[in-house]
Every structure is written in C-alpha cells, then in structure tokens.
Amino acid sequence: MRITTTVNSEPRDVDDVWEGESLLYMLRERMGLPGSKNACEQGECGSCTVYLDGVAVCACLVAAGQADGRDIVTVEGLTEGNDLHPVQQAFLDAGAVQCGFCTPGLVVATHDLLARTPQPGDSEIREYLAGNLCRCTGYEKILDAVKLAASRMASSPTKVAK
Amino acid sequence: MTTTPQTRPDKAAVKGADRTDVTPGGVGDSPSRPDGILKVTGEFSYSSDMWLDDMLWGYTLRSPHPFALIKSIDISEALATAGVFAVLTSEDVPGENFYGLEHADQPVLAKDIVRYQGEPIALVAADHPEIARRAAEKITVEFVVLAPVVDAEVAIGHKPWNPPAESVDAGVDGQVPHLHPNGNLVRHLKLRRGEQDATADVVITGEYEVGMQDQAFLGPESGLAVPDEEGGVDLYVATQWLHVDQRQVCAALGLPPEQVRLTLAGVGGAFGGREDLSMHVHGCMLALRTGKPIKMVYNRLESFFGHVHRHPAKLYYEYGAERSGKLVYARVRMYLDGGAYASSTPAVVGNAGTMGLGPYVIPHVTVDAYGTYSNNPPCGAMRGFGSVQTAFAYEAQMDKLAAELGLDPVAIRQMNALEEGAQVPTGQVIDSAAPVVELLERLKAMPLPSTESDQLDLRRMPGGVSNTTHGEGVKRGVGYAVAYKNVAFSEGFDDYSTARVRLEVSGGDPIVTVHTAAAEVGQGLVTIEQQICRTELGVDSVVVHPKDTSVGSGGSTSASRQTYMTGGAVRHVCGKVRDRVLVLAEASLGRTVSDLRLENGSVVSRSEGVLASIEQVLGDEVVEETDEWRHRPTHGLDPETGQGFAHVQFAFAAHRAVVDVDVELGLVKVVELACAQDVGKAMNPQAVVGQIQGGSAQGMGLALMEEIVIRDGKILNPSFTDYLIPTILDTPPMPIEVLEYADPNAPYGLRGVGEAPTISSGPAIMSAIRAATGLDLTRAPVRPEHITRT
Ligand code: FES
Ligand code: FES
C-alpha cells in the first residue's frame, strides 16, 4: 500500500508498504530514519518514541497504515538547524548518554514532558519517564539531564516546535 | 598507606573544577563523548541501523525443544517461497560446524541433536524480514524429543539439597545422559588453604540460590554481512571482541582472516552478552551463498534465546568463627549451571571459586566450585562474572554471623576485612590498596534519607501507584555489602591490547588519530582514548578511528579491563610517538634538551619554556607507531589447592541500601542506594560515576526483579513484559563517593570500574530487607512470597 505522511515537516510518500509493518519499521527501513530505536518492538521500552499528530507514541505499536495522512516528528526532527535542541544538549552535558540506545526515545519523551510541565519535580519526571528503559546509566544522569534542560529552557525559552 | 585519597562528590566530579593540573579534555577531565552528538540526534549508526540497497534479510529457525534428536529437516517448501533466496542447514556450513570462546563445542547450526530451546537449526534469506520468518515456519524438522537435564547438581551426579520438583527421572547416580562427549562437568575448581579440618566456636551455615539474569542490553543482536567479489566477506557487527569473533567466524567459514574483515557497528550495550557469537557466522553464510548483503536483527524475544545469560547458582556455605566475630574457616560448594554449551563457564567458575568468599580474611578455606552442562539456556559472561552470584551468599553469611553474635553487621565486616598486604584464599598477596574498612566507614558517614515517608506520594511507596499502602505495614531497613572483583583476564591468560597512534599536521594544526580494535559498547572507551592522547601528546584534536580488524587485537571489552588494557596500550604507544617527535625537535633545534615534553600543541622544556610548535617540528612528517601492551603476567592455579598468583588487580566497592518493605504484601521500595568505590584514578569522573550508577542498578535488578524463569529447560518469560528490568521509577537516588588510591602497577594508577558496583548493590539490598524483616532471605531475586512467607 501507499502511505502519505509528513515527517519532520517534509511530505513523505512511501510505496509497497506491507500491511503488517509498524510505523517504526516504515521510518527505519523505508524512510532512512533509523533514529527511532527498536529495543523491544513490543511497547515496553520507549526507545521508539515519536510524535504522531503531536502525541508521543511508541512507533512499534502503531501500524504503518495508521500513520497515513498524519504528521510525524522523530528525534531527527528535533534539532534546530545545526543546533541541538536544549534537551539533546542537556543529555550530552549531563552524561546521560552511554550506549545511547535509549537516548532518542528519552529525548522525545523529555521534549514532550517539558512541553507539558516546564518545571517538573523528581517524582513527576520519574513517573513520566517510567516507560523508557535505560540499561546503562541507572537513570541518575537522565534525571539530571531533564532538570538541566528544564532550567536552561526556563532561562532562555525556545519555542517547543512539534 | 602512602597515597592520599581524594574523594569527590558527584557534582564536583562532573565539573572537574578542582583540577588545575589537568590537560583540558585530557586524563582526569570529563569531556563529552566523541559519539555523543550523533547519539542525541539519532544519527549514530547502530548495528541494527545499517542498510544497503540490494540487501536481503536473514532469519534463524530455532529449536522449540531443550533436548531432542533431529531425524530429518525438509527445506523444500521454504526454498520454493517467493522472495526467498536461500535456506541453509548444517550441511551448508563451509568450515568447522563448531565454535566457542573456550571450547569449540557449539554447533553453528544443529545437525542431529539440539541441546537447548532456541538452538539455531536453519537460516533463511529473503527480501523482507516477514517473508523470511514465514518461510522459516515452512521448514519441517522431525524431532525425537528427549527428557532434558535441568539441574546442575543432578547433571554431574551430585545429590541436590533440594531436589528439583519436576526434574527428569534421571536419578542422581550416573543415570544422567552425557550432553557432551566428556560428560557434564565443565570445570571443577578446588581451593584448599590452611587446615582442612579446622573447628570453631560458632558455626554458620546457609544454602543460597541465585536466579538466571539477562544482560538485557537494549540494542538487539544485529549486523550486516557484505560479500566481496573474491569469496570473502565484510561483517559489521555489535560485539565485545572483534578478533575473537574473527577467529571463530574464519573457522566456521573455512576462510583465512584476510577474507573475513570485521568492523564494529554501533553497540547498544553489552554487559557480557556479546562475548559469544550471535548472527556473525549465519549472516556471513547467507551473504556468501546469495552474493548479496545480509542484514539480521533479532527482535526482543529472539534476543532472549540469542545470547548467553548469567549463570544461575546454588551455593552451600559453612563458616566457622570465634565468639569475637573473627572468621576461622570457610567450607563452600558452589554449582554454576552453564547450560547447553561451555561459553565462558570455565572462567566464571575461576572467578566464583577464587573470589567467592568476598573481601574478608579467612585462614582455613575449602572451596569446590563446579560448572556444569545442562539443557538449560547457555550461560556465560555477564558483568561481575561469577562474583555477583557468590556475593549474595558471602554477604548473607556475614549478616547471619552478626545476628548470631549480636554484633553490628558493619563492624563484623570491618573486623574481617582484607587490607593491603593481606593474603586472599589463593595465597596471592594484595599489593595495592584494599580500602574495605574505609569504604564502609564512608558509607556509614553519609547522611541517611529522611524516615518521614511522604504519605501523599504513592510513587515513593512500596507498590507505587498501585495504591497498595499509604505507609501501614511498611518497615525501613538499612543494609551494607562489599564487593571485590579481579580486573582483566586471570590465570595466566596472555592478556594484551594493541594501539596505533598517528600524529600529523593537517590544515596547519596537529592532529592525532588513535586506532584500536577495542570495542566501545557504551562505557566510553572512545572518550578515554582521546583523553589519553591529549594528555600524552598535548594535542587537542584527536580522531578515534573506526574499530576494526585491520589493527591488532584490543582484547575483550569485559572484565573491567579496557581502560586499563587499551588505555595502557594507547599511553604506551603515545610515548613512542612522543619520543620520535622529541628527536625531531632536537634535530631541528640542533641540540639536546634534557626535559622536553609535548604540551598545548608545543614542544616545551621545563627550563626554557616553549621551544617550537608541533607543526614546526613535524612539517610534512607523519609519525605513526603501533604496538602491543600487556599487564603484568599472572599464573594458573595449582589444580589441587587452587593456589597461585592468578589475578592482576582487585577492585573494591561497597554499597549501603535503604529500603522500605511492605511486610504484609512483600513489596520492596529501594529508597536510596549509596556506593563508595576505589577507582585508583578517575580517568573521566563523569563516566566513572555513570558506570557505578548503571552497575548498581543492574545489581538491584537481580536482587528484586530480574530472573529468566525456566521450567523443564524452557524460558517462560522471554519479553520485557515478563522479564522486568528497573525503570526510572524503581531506581532510587544513588549518591556516590569515589576514592582514588593509585595502584602502582596500573596505568595512571587506575582500577577497572565497571563490574564491582554490580556485585555489592544487590547483596546490600538483601541485607537491608533482612534488617527490615528479620528474615534470612536465601534466594535472589527475592519474591514477595519470600517476605510474606505465604
Ligand atoms: S521498541 Fe517500541 S516500545 Fe520498545
Ligand atoms: S544509555 Fe544504554 S540503554 Fe540507556
């Protein structure tokens, strides 16, 4: 089947998509956007988190066909020109990236959290990010990164583009 | 103790602000990872992200049975499926059909017998992954199903203390089938020290069990195999040791190393689970057969069958002690179930047997450690490697002894603690810092989290937002545990790493290229390589060459060894490069200067200051050196007594856990998990803290939730729905204290960091639950029913 979407603000059409494919497979294998990760493909890890019409979803749980006619933003779409988004910069600066396989999903999820709750408390951060597994860091530096991003974004507000 | 320790809290460590003597971006600083920007933007290429225009997808058909004979395999229907390019079985393996890290006992593809559920039997290549998967379903395999051997003790004819409820009717007296030609015993390590019939006033016994843990790295097993025009292949794969893979792939393909070139693809975590081969040979076989690039990516379910796990263990401990609390003797038997194939079981048994009494002085020791074959999933390397399992037992023994004598659990550990100059049970003398007493002291001195539970925030309660308690029935406990771990490869292994370092001028500036084959798996070795080059050569711009087999072996990214070994190799080779540059400098100066060094892009003399820039000295000259570097030699253990200088270095860490336990429901919330660790030298303080916190969380997982549940040889929970790893909600704050007692034998004085924290965190949590409940707790992970005793 043919799927027509907007991905990271660009119109993207894909042909020959098999009905059983997930949005994650389509992004990774048919659109050349492997930034969204495939750690479990069963909705348990959050490594595939993307925005679908502005809502953060697990791309592995969305059928490719469901994305037809819709707007998708992936981790690749968060950079602002050549600049990292403050969330991305904060993950880097806080040492929240080791193997980095969880990072794209966490960056998108954090981006979403801060759009809703610009100054989250520790418990709010933990609750919101509980669907994103990280096996390397023990999460302490991820918590640091979220707080660092929140404080930097508060002091120099950037538009949170979706 | 001659060295003055420095401790730095996490925040200061991250800033590195107190270090004026540090080359910016050099050793002791915390520069950003060179792959960091790519990783936060989603552009870093992991092994599952690679893609070529005309590639095919490979898929593996695996055995549904843990133990069965294969009578026939019919691939005709699969091969006739539209979109399928090849279907291969054991008959198609071009070289040896057996591979393995220490013993080549594992078939590339099963021929006439399968020994574990998930064992690969056939391969399919097709133009879509789903077509490959469905074609594999059309392969007909005729099995004769056999009763599996599922218990380590039964496997080697020992009487289990607790006969497995549903075990095969195999008996315990030699009726057990031999799974391999030499029987079911992989290794028996004997340790005998002091009097074998020692007696003591107080005797403490315990029988402990540790479940099978999964590495659960997030990046699935995957890779891309690309055939060349001359019958060779390039393999891009996520792994921990390119050269040991290359050796095994070459043997299986019947090709020389020149025709099997490996490049490290982006690795999404490893933790030991990538030491053994996964898709390597399979992908190459399909690529060579079809003439097309082959991509293979396991999904999470397949990943549970696609790599080895941490050995489950049964541990029988008897300690004798004086009334004062001083330990007199230990008599220990341990069984580590290696599953269907040997993998690294011999080395795991070596660690468990030699390190399994913990960092305590015990004069009279009898240890028998057994590693066995069974029809359970193969087990091999996982972070902490034999020391993790035994730590649950030795720390439980220390708690039990303290309780028996009415002594403080910390005091009894300190009373028996190893220290520099002490002998470990193998007779080896500890010849650098062993600050066990101090680590515990520092943890005790750290402020405790408030006991006022916030009644309104369910997220901080045992049971969380399931709303199972508002504080009623909740008891707090505090527990301590200590880890020690051998760093790098032991028992006489020729352990080395190779580095190539090039210094040249490009675009008017000096630039260094560092090339090693040592795998970056997330730990940050690429950053460390850059830091060492900056410090040693005084050049800011350092490029890390892709990791591949065109340079000599870097050894394994395991055993906490890469910063020590490949870091040591890079420093050594930087020294050779520097020597050549200084010779050039003296030649251009036309005289000798006694105290030249490279700093800030210049050739500098202590007495005369800056003499020339590196650009001036080098001109068009390219200075490149390649060499191997080894740690000091170790020796094998005496086969009868287990005595010998077997280990290069010991790493020490300790944890204090604070838990809240809902004693009515058996639910546990870890409130805080503090760690103090001696790292010798914090090469990159931010990365050191990251390693400690990540390792601590993995140990916590094993204590509370992580277990591959096996019944009759079959995995019951091969998914992240049923195999739980800690989330950010499960994981508590983890304050860290880092000590730096230099090891005079190691580069920069450093100690391997990665494993020790995984060893003591779980036992500290068990200890804290004991303190809260008064229960013995002999099994990890602890389940609610162990606490409620229902
Ligand atoms: S890959 Fe989608 S949730 Fe894990
Ligand atoms: S950094 Fe490896 S999984 Fe999070």
Side-chain angles (χ1 to χ4, degrees):
Chain A
M1 63 184 171
R2 181 186 181 84
I3 305 288
T4 302
T5 61
T6 305
V7 181
N8 299 333
S9 309
E10 282 179 27
R12 295 290 296 264
D13 294 350
V14 200
D15 287 316
D16 300 326
V17 174
W18 173 62
E19 285 76 1
E21 286 173 17
S22 65
L23 170 58
L24 180 64
Y25 183 90
M26 184 172 77
L27 289 168
R28 290 175 51 79
E29 304 295 341
R30 295 193 181 275
M31 293 183 163
L33 291 170
S36 309
K37 290 288 166 271
N38 56 323
C40 77
E41 297 172 85
Q42 49 192 197
E44 295 288 350
C45 75
S47 72
C48 61
T49 307
V50 300
Y51 284 113
L52 182 65
D53 283 348
V55 178
V57 298
C58 291
C60 70
L61 294 182
V62 176
Q66 285 176 283
D68 192 40
R70 302 178 71 176
D71 186 72
I72 299 155
V73 177
T74 70
V75 67
E76 288 100 336
L78 296 184
T79 37
E80 295 155 351
N82 283 333
D83 294 337
L84 296 181
H85 187 277
V87 171
Q88 293 170 317
Q89 189 67 50
F91 269 70
L92 202 54
D93 294 345
V97 180
Q98 288 186 29
C99 87
F101 211 79
C102 64
T103 307
L106 274 158
V107 163
V108 176
T110 303
H111 186 272
D112 185 47
L113 167 65
L114 298 182
R116 297 156 184 265
T117 313
Q119 295 295 326
D122 282 14
S123 288
E124 279 173 305
I125 297 172
R126 289 185 191 276
E127 186 173 16
Y128 187 82
L129 297 182
N132 289 78
L133 298 177
C134 171
R135 188 54 157 170
C136 299
T137 63
Y139 303 106
E140 283 286 87
K141 293 187 180 299
I142 291 173
L143 205 70
D144 292 346
V146 177
K147 290 191 275 194
L148 182 61
S151 72
R152 285 180 181 169
M153 286 164 73
S155 55
S156 88
T158 35
K159 43 192 184 322
V160 180
K162 280 190 186 173
Chain B
M1 192 70 52
T2 47
T3 352
T4 319
Q6 296 177 13
T7 76
R8 288 195 298 243
D10 188 8
K11 301 298 175 206
V14 171
K15 287 186 199 132
D18 53 332
R19 321 223 81 199
T20 44
D21 55 333
V22 170
T23 306
V27 168
D29 197 2
S30 297
S32 278
R33 312 174 55 94
D35 54 12
I37 290 179
L38 293 176
K39 284 179 172 177
V40 298
T41 53
E43 280 160 41
F44 184 74
S45 180
Y46 293 91
S47 55
S48 53
D49 297 341
M50 293 175 297
W51 186 85
L52 280 174
D53 252 339
D54 56 343
M55 73 180 192
L56 301 174
W57 290 80
Y59 185 80
T60 315
L61 176 74
R62 295 174 180 274
S63 169
H65 307 295
F67 193 27
L69 303 178
I70 296 176
K71 284 291 152 196
S72 65
I73 303 176
D74 181 356
I75 62 167
S76 50
E77 204 189 330
L79 200 50
T81 307
V84 170
F85 285 69
V87 181
L88 306 181
T89 67
S90 65
E91 286 174 15
D92 302 300
V93 177
E96 294 291 326
N97 191 25
F98 290 94
Y99 71 94
L101 283 172
E102 298 189 38
H103 301 300
D105 63 354
Q106 185 158 5
V108 172
L109 292 170
K111 189 171 182 268
D112 39 30
I113 188 169
V114 286
R115 298 184 179 85
Y116 74 97
Q117 182 201 23
E119 182 158 347
I121 296 174
L123 305 169
V124 180
D127 55 12
H128 190 283
E130 187 62 16
I131 291 175
R133 195 185 68 75
R134 291 185 182 190
E137 279 178 2
K138 295 181 191 161
I139 299 171
T140 316
V141 186
E142 202 187 332
F143 293 104
V144 177
V145 176
L146 304 173
V149 179
V150 298
D151 182 272
E153 287 157 279
V154 170
I156 55 171
H158 291 194
K159 238 186 171 49
W161 91 75
N162 194 357
E166 295 168 67
S167 72
V168 203
D169 188 21
V172 288
D173 299 312
Q175 305 299 312
V176 190
H178 281 192
L179 301 177
H180 290 271
N182 293 329
N184 296 339
L185 179 65
V186 181
R187 183 176 184 187
H188 172 200
L189 183 146
K190 284 200 235 175
L191 203 56
R192 303 284 183 271
R193 182 167 184 80
E195 294 162 22
Q196 295 304 296
D197 52 1
T199 54
D201 296 342
V202 187
V203 176
I204 299 293
T205 60
E207 300 172 349
Y208 305 96
E209 196 175 353
V210 180
M212 185 186 292
Q213 189 179 22
D214 188 56
Q215 296 83 354
F217 42 70
L218 287 200
E221 290 89 341
S222 43
L224 187 69
V226 186
D228 64 21
E229 308 273 286
E230 282 109 38
V233 63
D234 285 279
L235 176 64
Y236 301 83
V237 67
T239 182
Q240 295 179 228
W241 187 356
L242 288 165
H243 284 80
V244 86
D245 290 1
Q246 186 188 37
R247 165 170 68 74
Q248 297 171 87
V249 176
C250 284
L253 298 178
L255 290 175
E258 311 82 73
Q259 288 196 280
V260 181
R261 298 161 298 264
L262 271 70
T263 302
L264 187 71
V267 184
F271 318 117
R274 298 189 210 268
E275 284 193 29
D276 299 74
L277 299 184
S278 61
M279 54 66 65
H280 306 52
V281 180
H282 299 159
C284 292
M285 281 173 62
L286 289 169
L288 292 171
R289 176 61 70 96
T290 60
K292 287 172 177 291
I294 299 289
K295 175 168 178 169
M296 292 184 86
V297 182
Y298 295 178
N299 64 15
R300 184 52 54 182
L301 180 132
E302 185 171 16
S303 178
F304 273 94
F305 298 98
H307 61 260
V308 300
H309 311 288
R310 188 191 296 291
H311 290 72
K314 287 187 187 171
L315 308 153
Y316 299 71
Y317 275 57
E318 179 184 315
Y319 281 6
E322 295 170 5
R323 293 237 152 259
S324 64
K326 267 270 183 215
L327 289 168
V328 177
Y329 73 83
R331 284 185 202 119
V332 170
R333 262 187 308 145
M334 39 181 90
Y335 296 90
L336 296 145
D337 183 355
Y341 296 103
S343 181
S344 47
T345 294
V348 171
V349 170
N351 278 12
T354 60
M355 311 293 294
L357 303 178
Y360 304 113
V361 177
I362 308 180
H364 310 293
V365 171
T366 313
V367 175
D368 289 279
Y370 302 91
T372 72
Y373 285 123
S374 74
N375 293 116
N376 288 323
C379 288
M382 185 177 170
R383 196 176 196 170
F385 205 83
S387 297
V388 166
Q389 294 92 328
T390 50
F392 281 101
Y394 69 67
E395 288 299 53
Q397 287 286 99
M398 297 307 277
D399 280 347
K400 219 170 173 176
L401 179 60
E404 172 74 23
L405 296 173
L407 293 171
D408 172 51
V410 172
I412 204 152
R413 286 171 168 85
Q414 291 179 320
M415 181 193 304
N416 290 290
L418 284 178
E419 54 191 14
E420 187 170 357
Q423 272 183 312
V424 299
T426 53
Q428 183 168 345
V429 174
I430 297 190
D431 57 3
S432 69
V436 176
V437 170
E438 182 180 348
L439 290 171
L440 286 165
E441 212 50 55
R442 286 181 179 273
L443 286 170
K444 260 180 86 169
M446 287 165 80
L448 279 163
S450 133
T451 46
E452 268 172 51
S453 50
D454 183 348
Q455 303 273 331
L456 297 177
D457 195 344
L458 288 173
R459 293 169 292 204
R460 293 168 189 240
M461 291 286 160
V465 290
S466 304
N467 199 13
T468 49
T469 179
H470 290 189
E472 60 281 6
V474 173
K475 291 194 178 153
R476 176 153 296 192
V478 180
Y480 293 81
V482 192
Y484 90 134
K485 176 69 182 52
N486 52 324
V487 171
F489 282 21
S490 298
E491 298 188 55
F493 189 87
D494 180 25
D495 197 6
Y496 70 93
S497 181
T498 315
R500 175 173 299 154
V501 176
R502 188 170 71 221
L503 176 58
E504 65 202 309
V505 177
S506 169
D509 292 317
I511 180 165
V512 175
T513 306
V514 55
H515 188 184
T516 76
E520 165 66 45
V521 299
Q523 83 280 37
L525 180 66
V526 285
T527 326
I528 296 289
E529 289 178 356
Q530 288 183 314
Q531 291 178 253
I532 291 173
C533 291
R534 290 191 189 110
T535 291
E536 298 300 327
L537 297 175
V539 172
D540 187 52
S541 174
V542 181
V543 174
V544 181
H545 188 283
K547 312 282 192 170
D548 60 28
T549 50
S550 72
V551 65
S553 173
S556 182
T557 296
S558 62
S560 308
R561 68 178 280 291
Q562 280 301 20
T563 300
Y564 192 129
M565 295 304 300
T566 295
V570 170
R571 184 174 79 151
H572 165 70
V573 175
C574 280
K576 298 182 79 162
V577 168
R578 184 179 51 226
D579 289 349
R580 279 181 55 189
V581 175
L582 297 183
V583 168
L584 290 173
E586 288 183 328
S588 72
L589 290 169
R591 62 191 171 97
T592 50
V593 188
S594 60
D595 56 355
L596 284 181
R597 60 187 194 278
L598 299 179
E599 203 176 274
N600 253 329
S602 301
V603 177
V604 181
S605 136
R606 204 173 300 275
S607 45
E608 303 176 40
V610 175
L611 296 172
S613 71
I614 291 178
E615 303 93 275
Q616 288 165 343
V617 170
L618 276 188
D620 292 338
E621 192 104 20
V622 175
V623 180
E624 180 178 292
E625 289 286 338
T626 305
D627 206 2
E628 293 172 357
W629 186 82
R630 286 169 165 75
H631 62 63
R632 57 180 172 159
T634 63
H635 303 286
L637 298 166
D638 180 283
E640 288 310 312
T641 64
Q643 300 297 293
F645 185 90
H647 300 307
V648 186
Q649 185 187 57
F650 299 104
F652 295 89
H655 279 86
R656 182 187 72 191
V658 180
V659 301
D660 280 342
V661 185
D662 181 335
V663 295
E664 288 156 14
L665 293 174
L667 302 173
V668 177
K669 171 76 190 166
V670 182
V671 177
E672 188 194 82
L673 188 56
C675 181
Q677 181 166 345
D678 173 23
V679 304
K681 163 79 186 171
M683 299 288 286
N684 179 320
Q686 187 185 56
V688 161
V689 171
Q691 282 296 304
I692 296 174
Q693 291 169 336
S696 300
Q698 286 180 5
M700 180 184 84
L702 179 56
L704 294 178
M705 62 185 83
E706 291 187 35
E707 180 172 11
I708 295 185
V709 183
I710 314 275
R711 188 182 298 150
D712 297 333
K714 293 192 177 181
I715 300 181
L716 300 186
N717 56 341
S719 71
F720 279 167
T721 312
D722 297 314
Y723 182 93
L724 300 181
I725 65 173
T727 69
I728 193 170
L729 256 183
D730 301 315
T731 309
M734 292 187 272
I736 309 293
E737 278 202 35
V738 173
L739 276 67
E740 295 181 296
Y741 285 115
D743 176 349
N745 296 301
Y748 305 102
L750 72 87
R751 269 171 218 286
V753 173
E755 290 175 293
T758 315
I759 297 166
S760 42
S761 69
I765 289 167
M766 299 293 273
S767 178
I769 304 173
R770 272 182 213 116
T773 62
L775 296 166
D776 270 354
L777 300 180
T778 57
R779 191 185 192 287
V782 62
R783 296 177 182 151
E785 59 265 33
H786 302 149
I787 294 171
T788 58
R789 286 181 290 175
T790 48

Short mmCIF file of all heavy atoms in Angstrom, two decimals, chain B residues 250-273:
data_model
loop_
_atom_site.label_atom_id
_atom_site.label_comp_id
_atom_site.label_asym_id
_atom_site.label_seq_id
_atom_site.Cartn_x
_atom_site.Cartn_y
_atom_site.Cartn_z
N CYS B 250 36.14 -17.28 10.98
CA CYS B 250 37.05 -17.86 9.98
C CYS B 250 36.98 -19.38 10.01
O CYS B 250 36.91 -20.02 8.96
CB CYS B 250 38.49 -17.41 10.24
SG CYS B 250 38.80 -15.73 9.72
N ALA B 251 37.02 -19.95 11.20
CA ALA B 251 36.99 -21.41 11.31
C ALA B 251 35.69 -21.96 10.73
O ALA B 251 35.68 -22.96 10.02
CB ALA B 251 37.14 -21.83 12.77
N ALA B 252 34.58 -21.29 11.02
CA ALA B 252 33.28 -21.79 10.55
C ALA B 252 33.13 -21.62 9.04
O ALA B 252 32.48 -22.43 8.39
CB ALA B 252 32.16 -21.07 11.28
N LEU B 253 33.72 -20.55 8.50
CA LEU B 253 33.59 -20.32 7.06
C LEU B 253 34.70 -21.01 6.28
O LEU B 253 34.65 -21.07 5.05
CB LEU B 253 33.61 -18.82 6.76
CG LEU B 253 32.48 -17.97 7.35
CD1 LEU B 253 32.67 -16.50 7.00
CD2 LEU B 253 31.11 -18.46 6.88
N GLY B 254 35.72 -21.49 6.96
CA GLY B 254 36.87 -22.08 6.28
C GLY B 254 37.63 -21.05 5.47
O GLY B 254 38.13 -21.34 4.38
N LEU B 255 37.72 -19.84 5.97
CA LEU B 255 38.40 -18.75 5.26
C LEU B 255 39.53 -18.19 6.12
O LEU B 255 39.44 -18.21 7.35
CB LEU B 255 37.42 -17.62 4.94
CG LEU B 255 36.34 -17.89 3.88
CD1 LEU B 255 35.39 -16.70 3.81
CD2 LEU B 255 36.97 -18.17 2.52
N PRO B 256 40.58 -17.65 5.48
CA PRO B 256 41.66 -17.01 6.24
C PRO B 256 41.22 -15.62 6.72
O PRO B 256 40.30 -15.03 6.15
CB PRO B 256 42.78 -16.89 5.22
CG PRO B 256 42.08 -16.82 3.90
CD PRO B 256 40.83 -17.64 4.04
N PRO B 257 41.89 -15.08 7.74
CA PRO B 257 41.49 -13.77 8.30
C PRO B 257 41.46 -12.65 7.26
O PRO B 257 40.62 -11.75 7.38
CB PRO B 257 42.56 -13.48 9.36
CG PRO B 257 43.23 -14.78 9.64
CD PRO B 257 43.01 -15.69 8.48
N GLU B 258 42.31 -12.71 6.24
CA GLU B 258 42.29 -11.64 5.23
C GLU B 258 40.95 -11.57 4.53
O GLU B 258 40.57 -10.55 3.99
CB GLU B 258 43.37 -11.84 4.14
CG GLU B 258 44.75 -12.13 4.62
CD GLU B 258 44.93 -13.62 4.96
OE1 GLU B 258 45.00 -14.45 4.05
OE2 GLU B 258 44.96 -13.91 6.18
N GLN B 259 40.22 -12.70 4.52
CA GLN B 259 38.95 -12.72 3.79
C GLN B 259 37.74 -12.53 4.69
O GLN B 259 36.60 -12.56 4.21
CB GLN B 259 38.82 -14.04 3.02
CG GLN B 259 39.75 -14.08 1.81
CD GLN B 259 39.33 -15.19 0.86
OE1 GLN B 259 39.64 -16.34 1.08
NE2 GLN B 259 38.62 -14.82 -0.20
N VAL B 260 38.00 -12.38 5.98
CA VAL B 260 36.88 -12.14 6.91
C VAL B 260 37.23 -10.91 7.73
O VAL B 260 37.97 -10.98 8.71
CB VAL B 260 36.65 -13.35 7.83
CG1 VAL B 260 35.48 -13.10 8.77
CG2 VAL B 260 36.40 -14.62 7.02
N ARG B 261 36.75 -9.76 7.31
CA ARG B 261 37.11 -8.50 7.94
C ARG B 261 35.94 -8.02 8.79
O ARG B 261 34.81 -7.94 8.31
CB ARG B 261 37.47 -7.48 6.85
CG ARG B 261 38.68 -7.90 6.01
CD ARG B 261 38.73 -7.16 4.69
NE ARG B 261 37.58 -7.43 3.86
CZ ARG B 261 37.55 -8.35 2.87
NH1 ARG B 261 38.62 -9.07 2.60
NH2 ARG B 261 36.45 -8.53 2.16
N LEU B 262 36.23 -7.72 10.04
CA LEU B 262 35.16 -7.28 10.94
C LEU B 262 35.32 -5.80 11.28
O LEU B 262 36.45 -5.33 11.51
CB LEU B 262 35.16 -8.09 12.23
CG LEU B 262 34.32 -9.39 12.22
CD1 LEU B 262 34.98 -10.43 11.32
CD2 LEU B 262 34.14 -9.93 13.63
N THR B 263 34.22 -5.10 11.32
CA THR B 263 34.19 -3.71 11.77
C THR B 263 33.12 -3.60 12.84
O THR B 263 32.03 -4.17 12.69
CB THR B 263 33.86 -2.76 10.60
OG1 THR B 263 34.84 -2.95 9.58
CG2 THR B 263 33.85 -1.30 11.04
N LEU B 264 33.44 -2.87 13.89
CA LEU B 264 32.47 -2.71 14.96
C LEU B 264 31.37 -1.77 14.50
O LEU B 264 31.63 -0.63 14.11
CB LEU B 264 33.15 -2.13 16.20
CG LEU B 264 32.25 -2.08 17.44
CD1 LEU B 264 32.01 -3.47 17.99
CD2 LEU B 264 32.88 -1.20 18.52
N ALA B 265 30.13 -2.26 14.52
CA ALA B 265 28.98 -1.39 14.29
C ALA B 265 28.57 -0.81 15.64
O ALA B 265 29.04 -1.25 16.68
CB ALA B 265 27.84 -2.19 13.67
N GLY B 266 27.70 0.17 15.63
CA GLY B 266 27.29 0.80 16.89
C GLY B 266 26.70 -0.22 17.84
O GLY B 266 25.84 -1.01 17.45
N VAL B 267 27.17 -0.20 19.08
CA VAL B 267 26.76 -1.22 20.05
C VAL B 267 25.81 -0.61 21.08
O VAL B 267 26.16 0.34 21.77
CB VAL B 267 27.99 -1.80 20.78
CG1 VAL B 267 27.56 -2.94 21.71
CG2 VAL B 267 29.03 -2.30 19.79
N GLY B 268 24.64 -1.20 21.18
CA GLY B 268 23.64 -0.72 22.14
C GLY B 268 23.72 -1.48 23.45
O GLY B 268 22.80 -2.17 23.85
N GLY B 269 24.86 -1.36 24.14
CA GLY B 269 25.06 -2.05 25.42
C GLY B 269 25.53 -3.48 25.19
O GLY B 269 25.32 -4.06 24.12
N ALA B 270 26.18 -4.06 26.20
CA ALA B 270 26.72 -5.42 26.01
C ALA B 270 26.64 -6.21 27.32
O ALA B 270 25.96 -7.22 27.40
CB ALA B 270 28.14 -5.36 25.50
N PHE B 271 27.40 -5.78 28.34
CA PHE B 271 27.35 -6.38 29.69
C PHE B 271 27.71 -7.85 29.71
O PHE B 271 27.25 -8.59 30.59
CB PHE B 271 25.96 -6.15 30.32
CG PHE B 271 25.40 -4.77 30.09
CD1 PHE B 271 24.24 -4.57 29.37
CD2 PHE B 271 26.08 -3.66 30.60
CE1 PHE B 271 23.76 -3.28 29.14
CE2 PHE B 271 25.59 -2.37 30.38
CZ PHE B 271 24.44 -2.19 29.65
N GLY B 272 28.48 -8.31 28.73
CA GLY B 272 28.88 -9.71 28.66
C GLY B 272 28.11 -10.50 27.63
O GLY B 272 28.59 -11.51 27.12
N GLY B 273 26.92 -10.03 27.30
CA GLY B 273 26.04 -10.79 26.41
C GLY B 273 26.47 -10.81 24.96
O GLY B 273 25.87 -11.50 24.15
#
